[in-house]
Amino acid sequence: MVRSENTTFRPHKCSRRLALSQKARQPGFLISGTTKLVGLLGWPVEHTMSPVIHNTAFAAAGLDYVYVPLPVKPSDVAAALTGLKALGFAGVNVTVPHKISVMNCIEKCDRSAELVGAVNTVVFQDGVATGYNTDMAGFINSLAAQKVTISGKNAVLLGAGGAARAVVCGLLEGGIGGLVVGAREERKAVEFVACFADKNRLAGCDWQKQSFAQALAGCDILINCTPVGMYPHQEEAPLLDWDALNPGAAVCDLIYNPPVTSFLAQAAARGHKIVGGAGMLVEQGALAFSLWTGAKAPTDVMYEALDKVLADKCR
Ligand code: NAP
C-alpha cells in the first residue's frame, strides 16, 4: 500500500443556507445515463441516514450524483471493491464492520486513514482506490462549528473503541494539551492509548478510579465515545461523577440518535455547553462529498436533512 500526498482538512466555515438554484434537482429526481454513483459499504446498512443527507445535498448543489446503500458481507468486501471500481463508482463511504479490513483492498491510503488506522471514505479515480478517514476531521469540524476550541485544552473521553480512535487522532492533530481516555476496564484504556505514538499528552484509566475524577476536574472537553444512550436505549447514560467535572467544560456525545442524549440533557441541566453527534455525522459526510465531487458541501442543507430524518424517526 502506498501513501498518497497529505490531505489537509480545514473546518468548513458555517456556510450560508444554500437556496435551491434553478439547476438544482429536487429529491426524487430521475437518474440518467450520466449520473455518478456513490454509496455506503457496510453490514448491515438498513439504519443509515447517509443516503438522505447526501442525496439532499447533491440535489441542493445541482450535482448529478446518487448515493445508495451497499450491504456487503465481511467475506465479500474485496470482491465488492473490485466490482465498484469496475462499475465506475466515484467513491463510497465505509462503515462498520469494514473500516479496517477495507484497507487491505485498496491501492492507496491518505495520511488521515493511516493515522486513524481505519478508512471511512474511498475515492475511485483512474482505476485507483484511495482511502481516507473523514471521521477524524469531521469531529473536529463539529466542535469548530459550535465554537469549541481545542488547542492547549484538556479533554476526557469515555470509551476506547473505533470512534474514540478517530476522535483522539483529531484532538492530537488539533493541538490538544492533554487527553485522558476512560474505559470500564483499565486494561482496555491503557492498551488503547499505547497504540498512539504521542505518549506525553495521553493517559488511560478506569473511569471509576480517583485519578479519573481528577481528570474531570481539569477537563475542558468531555466526550462520550460509548454507545450508551443510543436509540432504542435513549434513557441510559454513562455514569459520571458530575460534581467532579469542571463546571466550564463543554460536553459532547458522538451519538446522533437521539440528537440530545440523556447524557447531554444532564450536562445541559448543569449549565454545560453541549455538542451532539449529528455534527460529526454531517461534517464527515461533507468532507467525503468534497472528496468525491471537488465541490464544497452544502452543510446547512445536510444538517437540515438529518434533523428532518431524525424527527421522522422519533415520531
Ligand atoms: P465500538 O468500537 O464498539 O466502541 C465502543 C466503546 O464503548 C468501547 O470502548 C466499549 O467498551 C464502550 N462501551 C460499550 N458499551 C458500554 C457500556 N454499556 N458501558 C460502558 N462502556 C461501554 O463503537 P464505536 O464504533 O467506537 O462507536 C461508539 C459510538 O459512537 C456509537 O454510538 C456510534 O454510533 C457513535 N459514532 C458516531 C459517529 C458520528 O458520526 N456521530 C461516528 C462513529 C461512531 P468495551 O470494550 O469494554 O465494550
Side-chain angles (χ1 to χ4, degrees), residues 3 9 23 28 36 39 41 89 126 135 139-141 150 160 174 185 194-195 199 212 228 259:
R3 209 172 96 169
F9 291 117
K23 68 174 190 166
K36 293 193 175 68
L41 198 74
F89 268 63
D126 303 327
D135 281 335
F139 173 69
I140 299 305
N141 291 355
I150 56 176
E185 278 181 58
C195 297
K199 303 279 181 273
F212 192 71
V228 183

Side-chain angles (χ1 to χ4, degrees), residues 17-65:
R17 184 177 303 265
L18 191 100
L20 290 180
S21 67
Q22 288 288 342
K23 68 174 190 166
R25 297 179 312 186
Q26 300 294 331
F29 56 84
L30 289 175
I31 293 168
S32 75
T34 58
T35 304
K36 293 193 175 68
L37 300 167
V38 290
L40 175 67
L41 198 74
W43 183 262
V45 290
E46 284 86 357
H47 65 283
T48 180
M49 299 180 192
S50 293
V52 173
I53 298 171
H54 279 285
N55 288 322
T56 307
F58 291 140
L63 291 169
D64 190 16
Y65 281 72

